[in-house]
C-alpha cells in the first residue's frame, strides 16, 4: 500500500518533468533562447511561465518528499 502511494507520487513527478521539458521546447522554438524575445507572443509567454513555475515547484517538492522517504528507511 505504501509503495502504491510512492508510485503515484512518482507519476506526478514525471508529469512535472514533462511540463519543464515543454517549457524548454516552447522557449527554444519561440526564439527566446537566441535573444529574440520580440518573437515571443503573450499567450506563449503565459503558457511558458505556467509550465515553468508549476512544473519546477512540483518537481522540487515531490523530489524532496521522495528523498526524505528514502532517507527515513
Amino acid at each position: 500500500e505504501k509503495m502504491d502511494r510512492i508510485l503515484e507520487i512518482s507519476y506526478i513527478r514525471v508529469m512535472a518533468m514533462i511540463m519543464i521539458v515543454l517549457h524548454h521546447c516552447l522557449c527554444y522554438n519561440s526564439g527566446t533562447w537566441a535573444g529574440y524575445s520580440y518573437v515571443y507572443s503573450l499567450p506563449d509567454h503565459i503558457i511558458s511561465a505556467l509550465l515553468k513555475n508549476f512544473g519546477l515547484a512540483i518537481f522540487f517538492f515531490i523530489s524532496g518528499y521522495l528523498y526524505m522517504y528514502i532517507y527515513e528507511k
Side-chain angles (χ1 to χ4, degrees):
E1 183 176 311
K2 217 173 204 188
M3 200 58 167
D4 291 336
R5 276 193 291 167
I6 296 301
L7 265 176
E8 291 170 354
I9 290 173
S10 293
Y11 291 145
I12 296 171
R13 185 176 174 215
V14 168
M15 289 174 45
M17 286 184 218
I18 292 170
M19 291 171 72
I20 294 168
V21 169
L22 288 174
H23 163 72
H24 288 170
C25 291
L26 190 59
C27 286
Y28 179 77
N29 289 328
S30 67
T32 56
W33 280 1
Y36 304 116
S37 60
Y38 60 86
V39 179
Y40 209 35
S41 68
L42 184 60
D44 288 345
H45 177 68
I46 293 170
I47 292 169
S48 178
L50 288 174
L51 288 172
K52 177 183 73 171
N53 292 335
F54 288 121
L56 201 57
I58 291 168
F59 178 76
F60 277 116
F61 282 125
I62 291 176
S63 294
Y65 175 78
L66 291 176
Y67 285 123
M68 181 185 71
Y69 176 77
I70 291 169
Y71 180 73
E72 287 182 350
K73 275 188 156 185

